Amino acid sequence: MDKKIIYGIAGVFISLLSLSIISCKKTTAATPILTAANVTDSIPAGGGTISVSFTCNDTWSIDTTGFSWLKLSQISGTSGAATISATAPANSTGISRSVILLLNAANGQARRITVLQIPVIFPSYNTSPIAPDATGMGSTAMQINANIKMGMNIWNTMEAPGGETGWGNPPITQSLIDTLKKAGFNAIRIPCGYWAQGHVNKATCQIDSAWLNRVKEVVQYCVNDGMYVLINRHHDGDGDPQLTGASLDTAKAIQKAIWEQVATKLRDFDEHVMFASYNEPNATDLPTSIVLHDLHQIFINAVRSTGGKNAYRTLVIQAPSTSLDLANYFTPGAIPGTPYDSVPNKLMLEFHWYSPANFCILGGDASWGPEWRYWGANFHSTDDTLHNSNASAEEGYVQSNMQWAKKNFTDKGIPVLVGEFGVQYHADHCPTPADSILSLNSTSHFFGEIVRDSRANGLSPFLWAGVIDRATETIVGYQDLDSLRKAAGY
């Protein structure tokens, strides 16, 4: 074949190949970019604005079909950075409302933006917010937690229906707190109720001023002795996470209104005073834990909004059902995860310890198991063996759980407190005087084990009840107290 023909054919082939390559380069699509995530955000009941920022490398638009209460700053745009502002007026409908915004890009990417707004049910009680005041608020939640050697609850008093004496205890006095201070307790947890105890106008959610003054007075007793004090909502709607619909909307409104008032009343106390969202909220699974997360978020936002020292106060949220077994729902990165706080290092997590239940809760044999009257490897009865604890639920069990809490929370910068622990009284059920003494010894041993293992793993423990006679304000449980003190490092 003629060389010119060969060269000609080769040239045509090369040209076609080049055109093909050029054509391929021209038609290769850019990687689709839409940096927005699927997000859920809330607009306050009284109205407000939220914003979502993102970058897209193509045109985009938002489907606005089916809603009118939410106004958007723009509903479409071209390639580049964008910020969409969504604004809503006060929600006076009486029920929660929500909308899902569908953000669609021409490059095939799409996102969902969910906007929520609870209704205005009660008036706002954040009527006198002040500028943030960091005076006396310099410690982190972790540092405060480390300073608590052993804590005590003032049980069955401020949370009793109708008032302090509703469950048979006398009113709290300065001398009661003085006695506990001298005994070695340096922190007090005050279970306190409002709505369910008859201290609130149910139509407006306004707390009786005399009750708020009394709460402040009791907190002052603790502050006078230089003690840390934790005040919570106790037996005051703790089952809220199980609610739905309008009942849940009301529970959220109550949470906001109560904490706006309590936080404002106690705003001038320094970091020795801490607030706790609930007591033992009845959240048992993911859906109810998400509801509890929302209720905790309302608590945090309400306290912070009042300003002053509350802008920096340490706040305590409860694990679902205040259970260590369910606490992982609130770890960072989990679902629903840790509630957001605008102030870093000022949140604590709380769980309670009444395990094993046979020993801590049962006061007699039950269908599901016997009452355990004796607890601890060296505290078993030889003649009442049915009522000995199982070895798997003794010292090693407590130690492993507290170590787990340290690994999963404390080591990750999340301080943890054991808001309650306690033991049922078993000595009067024992068959012999020697067994009764053994039961009392095992209770003291249990108390010491809880405090020792808690402090060894960076947790702060609060005894629920015991040690002191409330009527005479004198120490009566010296054996238990000695065990507690020794474990706390005194």
Side-chain angles (χ1 to χ4, degrees):
M1 185 181 293
D2 191 292
K3 290 182 179 180
K4 292 181 178 179
I5 295 176
I6 294 174
Y7 293 153
I9 292 174
V12 170
F13 177 76
I14 292 170
S15 297
L16 291 172
L17 181 60
S18 299
L19 288 171
S20 175
I21 293 172
I22 293 170
S23 176
C24 287
K25 289 182 178 179
K26 288 182 178 179
T27 59
T28 299
T31 301
I33 296 174
L34 180 58
T35 59
N38 292 319
V39 297
T40 298
D41 205 348
S42 298
I43 292 177
T49 299
I50 62 171
S51 297
V52 176
S53 298
F54 60 89
T55 298
C56 184
N57 63 347
D58 210 329
T59 59
W60 57 269
S61 63
I62 293 179
D63 184 356
T64 60
T65 303
F67 69 90
S68 58
W69 60 272
L70 191 66
K71 304 300 181 184
L72 303 182
S73 58
Q74 62 183 117
I75 60 172
S76 62
T78 56
S79 178
T83 296
I84 303 168
S85 295
T87 303
N91 181 4
S92 57
T93 65
I95 59 174
S96 290
R97 55 189 179 186
S98 64
V99 65
I100 298 176
L101 306 175
L102 300 177
L103 172 60
N104 296 301
N107 59 21
Q109 300 288 291
R111 300 290 187 271
R112 293 159 59 95
I113 304 170
T114 304
V115 182
L116 310 173
Q117 188 182 33
I118 62 174
V120 175
I121 296 177
F122 303 117
S124 173
Y125 288 99
N126 184 25
T127 57
S128 57
I130 61 177
D133 178 7
T135 307
M137 308 299 291
S139 298
T140 65
M142 190 72 78
Q143 290 168 333
I144 290 175
N145 197 48
N147 290 338
I148 297 174
K149 300 188 71 171
M150 63 181 195
M152 183 69 175
N153 281 266
I154 307 299
W155 70 96
N156 295 353
T157 308
M158 299 294 284
E159 81 277 28
E164 290 179 71
T165 60
W167 279 335
N169 279 316
I172 300 168
T173 65
Q174 181 69 65
S175 62
L176 172 71
I177 304 303
D178 294 345
T179 301
L180 291 172
K181 172 70 172 180
K182 292 174 183 176
F185 296 97
N186 73 329
I188 297 293
R189 181 174 180 259
I190 305 174
C192 192
Y194 307 92
W195 179 271
Q197 287 75 12
H199 304 304
V200 174
N201 181 321
K202 297 296 178 71
T204 64
C205 204
Q206 184 172 12
I207 303 172
D208 179 68
S209 60
W211 184 244
L212 272 180
N213 289 336
R214 176 57 178 158
V215 171
K216 184 175 182 179
E217 183 177 38
V218 172
V219 171
Q220 185 68 58
Y221 294 158
C222 303
V223 172
N224 290 343
D225 281 341
M227 302 174 82
Y228 291 100
V229 55
L230 175 65
I231 187 164
N232 70 353
R233 282 188 66 193
H234 201 103
H235 296 313
D236 196 30
D238 295 337
D240 287 346
Q242 299 289 337
L243 299 176
T244 59
S247 296
L248 179 57
D249 288 338
T250 299
K252 290 179 176 180
I254 293 170
Q255 175 81 325
K256 177 177 181 288
I258 284 179
W259 278 113
E260 284 177 342
Q261 294 172 81
V262 174
T264 299
K265 189 68 176 180
L266 306 181
R267 181 166 54 194
D268 294 335
F269 287 111
D270 71 8
E271 67 185 21
H272 283 80
V273 176
M274 298 173 284
F275 303 152
S277 180
Y278 278 110
N279 172 51
E280 293 174 347
N282 188 19
T284 57
D285 53 20
L286 178 58
T288 52
S289 295
I290 291 173
V291 173
L292 177 59
H293 177 280
D294 293 344
L295 290 164
H296 285 332
Q297 191 66 65
I298 290 169
F299 156 70
I300 294 168
N301 294 348
V303 173
R304 297 287 182 236
S305 71
T306 62
K309 297 185 191 302
N310 288 339
Y312 303 100
R313 191 169 307 285
T314 289
L315 305 178
V316 180
I317 61 170
Q318 291 64 47
S321 295
T322 324
S323 167
L324 183 59
D325 293 335
L326 299 173
N328 265 346
Y329 281 121
F330 286 170
T331 55
I335 298 174
T338 307
Y340 172 74
D341 187 8
S342 58
V343 186
N345 304 315
K346 291 289 188 176
L347 287 184
M348 283 192 198
L349 181 69
E350 177 183 358
F351 72 89
H352 294 174
W353 189 264
Y354 292 105
S355 184
N358 305 66
F359 182 62
C360 294
I361 296 175
L362 281 186
D365 294 342
S367 59
W368 52 267
E371 169 193 13
W372 289 350
R373 302 164 183 165
Y374 321 97
W375 184 93
N378 298 321
F379 297 89
H380 287 190
S381 172
T382 58
D383 57 359
D384 190 20
T385 56
L386 174 65
H387 298 103
N388 287 329
S389 61
N390 292 337
S392 61
E394 296 181 328
E395 292 90 347
Y397 175 71
V398 175
Q399 292 164 13
S400 63
N401 275 274
M402 299 306 177
Q403 289 166 1
W404 187 90
K406 177 180 184 294
K407 177 181 177 181
N408 288 276
F409 299 102
T410 307
D411 288 350
K412 295 179 180 179
I414 303 171
V416 179
L417 62 85
V418 186
E420 295 179 16
F421 70 94
V423 173
Q424 183 64 256
Y425 187 79
H426 303 291
D428 55 355
H429 295 171
C430 299
T432 68
D435 281 332
S436 294
I437 292 173
L438 183 64
S439 179
L440 293 172
N441 291 343
S442 68
T443 293
S444 298
H445 174 63
F446 179 86
F447 284 170
E449 191 70 36
I450 297 299
V451 172
R452 183 166 45 254
D453 293 339
S454 294
R455 298 311 298 141
N457 291 284
L459 318 180
S460 56
F462 287 73
L463 179 66
W464 171 247
V467 174
I468 190 169
D469 184 320
R470 291 287 304 276
T472 63
E473 297 180 350
T474 57
I475 300 298
V476 292
Y478 280 102
Q479 180 178 345
D480 290 343
L481 181 59
D482 287 346
S483 182
L484 292 165
R485 286 175 58 88
K486 182 177 179 180
Y490 286 108

